[in-house]
Amino acid sequence: MTVNTIPQLKNLNEISDGIHKRWIWGSTENYHKSCDYLQKINYSIQDLNAAINDGLTPSMKDIIFVIALVDWIKEACECLEKTLIPELVQGFTYQNEDQLGSAKKYFTAVRSFVVAHPLSTNRHRAYGLDGSRICVDIRGNFSLRCLSQNSDWYHLGMDGMQANAKELPFDFVLYIYDRNHHDMQFFQYVGCDFADIFQVAELYIDRLYLLSKYLGKQKKRDWI
């Protein structure tokens, strides 16, 4: 999948009324918080879809913009669920929970490396980020790709950091230094895909839809 073929994210227009029940939040304050979280999610989806419609580009501006919005969706979805009456959620299961867990770990690593802690990311060893690599630039293309060595190329995806990845397709490139190679005198390159980042948002939105459907079946008399 390329930048030009990324599908629109599903908005919240068709979500069931389950998520809008007042009693499931336990208090008026929590209900109002839930409305704020849902608004944040929906606005973030709208902004991401607008970026796709306008022609998403692999520029630093768009890359950071997309990561920030997906992070807002992720955080708002997690905060929303924590605001519910705790016992209510115990019976809810999501069939793609393992996939969502992997996507969350991947996204947390990417966000840290690209936006939050580019010079010191060291808590994501499963994704090759143990503190030895630092991200110094983000670029949408690599015109001198043919002149670089395969060993200088990596690809960062849901499955982790793949080495010798010069021939793999990518949407944008992270320019990095590795403290363990070349005395940090030469760049190495990490290719990344927008589709992986958008998939994180898709999974959170899908889970929210199913959570709302589950809540719609719950009866106040059984819990309060």
Side-chain angles (χ1 to χ4, degrees):
M1 186 177 296
T2 65
V3 174
N4 296 326
T5 59
I6 292 175
Q8 294 271 302
L9 292 170
K10 188 175 184 179
N11 59 39
L12 301 187
N13 293 349
E14 298 177 5
I15 200 166
S16 72
D17 291 335
I19 202 76
H20 298 300
K21 292 180 178 180
R22 285 178 175 260
W23 70 265
I24 61 176
W25 305 103
S27 69
T28 300
E29 180 183 358
N30 283 346
Y31 170 72
H32 289 309
K33 282 184 181 179
S34 75
C35 294
D36 291 339
Y37 294 142
L38 287 169
Q39 187 176 59
K40 187 67 172 177
I41 294 166
N42 215 26
Y43 282 165
S44 297
I45 293 171
Q46 291 173 15
D47 288 342
L48 285 168
N49 285 339
I52 294 173
N53 282 336
D54 292 341
L56 192 63
T57 65
S59 64
M60 182 182 293
K61 178 183 177 181
D62 279 1
I63 293 162
I64 294 176
F65 181 66
V66 166
I67 290 175
L69 289 173
V70 172
D71 192 44
W72 288 349
I73 291 173
K74 168 185 169 295
E75 183 175 1
C77 284
E78 292 173 350
C79 288
L80 186 75
E81 187 166 329
K82 291 176 182 177
T83 308
L84 286 162
I85 295 174
E87 294 78 11
L88 262 177
V89 196
Q90 292 177 0
F92 173 68
T93 57
Y94 178 49
Q95 69 273 21
N96 294 324
E97 198 67 56
D98 289 343
Q99 185 181 3
L100 177 61
S102 297
K104 178 180 176 180
K105 291 178 182 178
Y106 157 78
F107 180 75
T108 303
V110 169
R111 176 187 174 278
S112 177
F113 196 46
V114 177
V115 178
H117 314 101
L119 306 183
S120 60
T121 296
N122 59 6
R123 298 180 181 179
H124 308 280
R125 294 178 181 273
Y127 294 91
L129 305 176
D130 59 1
S132 63
R133 294 184 168 104
I134 63 173
C135 181
V136 294
D137 198 6
I138 309 170
R139 300 190 186 180
N141 56 57
F142 187 77
S143 57
L144 299 178
R145 189 175 186 180
C146 61
L147 301 179
S148 60
Q149 298 181 15
N150 192 34
S151 59
D152 291 330
W153 278 87
Y154 298 86
H155 186 276
L156 181 57
M158 290 284 187
D159 296 329
M161 186 84 76
Q162 182 176 343
N164 301 314
K166 179 180 176 180
E167 301 305 320
L168 292 181
F170 59 82
D171 290 328
F172 58 91
V173 181
L174 309 179
Y175 276 52
I176 71 168
Y177 283 124
D178 191 331
R179 294 185 176 93
N180 297 330
H181 292 84
H182 309 306
D183 296 323
M184 294 182 63
Q185 296 182 33
F186 303 100
F187 284 123
Q188 290 185 309
Y189 315 99
V190 180
C192 300
D193 301 314
F194 272 121
D196 287 335
I197 299 173
F198 273 85
Q199 187 180 4
V200 178
E202 290 170 358
L203 287 166
Y204 272 99
I205 295 166
D206 180 56
R207 192 181 192 281
L208 181 59
Y209 260 82
L210 292 176
L211 175 62
S212 183
K213 185 177 180 180
Y214 164 81
L215 292 171
K217 298 177 181 178
Q218 307 308 306
K219 305 299 182 183
K220 182 178 181 180
R221 63 176 179 269
D222 296 328
W223 298 98
I224 298 178

